[in-house]
Amino acid sequence: MHWNGELSELIEAARHGDPTATVTLRHDHTAAVEKVATGLASPSELIDWAQAVHFEDRVDIDEGHQDLLTQFLVEVSTPELFEPVALAVCQRWLHALRATPEPRTKADGR
């Protein structure tokens, strides 16, 4: 599920897609924030996207970054409780999401 076209199409696809399918939000899914930071989408569209992702039952959050991603979704989806979604906010979140290392897995023995 990628935001390649109109936001309304993405939200519609998420709500009416395969009811057994799930999508995992990972820290490297930065396209939505990048769209606002580069002027390709409006802050209100990012807010709508974050609300749709945050409240969609079929979207899982990557366990290795659950705290960061949950904080991101909560803050962006409810700017009235935190701060308005603007260029500075998008740039801060892009930096935070990109700077986050991949979690260590049990398979690599660490």
Side-chain angles (χ1 to χ4, degrees), residues 6 12-13 21 27 30 33 35 46 52-53 64 70-71 76-78 85 88 93 95 101 107:
E6 293 295 319
E12 189 70 19
H27 79 284
T30 59
V33 183
K35 283 182 179 275
L46 181 61
V53 170
T70 300
Q71 180 180 352
V76 172
S77 68
T78 55
V85 175
W93 276 112
H95 177 74

Side-chain angles (χ1 to χ4, degrees), residues 48-110:
D48 291 344
W49 174 86
Q51 289 172 347
V53 170
H54 187 64
F55 296 110
E56 177 56 51
D57 291 336
R58 294 177 290 157
V59 174
D60 292 331
I61 296 177
D62 179 29
E63 288 183 24
H65 300 99
Q66 192 164 15
D67 291 343
L68 177 69
L69 292 170
T70 300
Q71 180 180 352
F72 165 71
L73 289 174
V74 168
E75 286 188 23
V76 172
S77 68
T78 55
E80 65 277 6
L81 299 178
F82 295 93
E83 62 184 305
V85 175
L87 179 60
V89 171
C90 292
Q91 289 173 335
R92 187 181 77 237
W93 276 112
L94 278 173
H95 177 74
L97 294 168
R98 289 176 176 161
T100 304
E102 289 294 327
R104 294 181 179 177
T105 62
K106 293 178 185 175
D108 68 8
R110 295 182 207 176

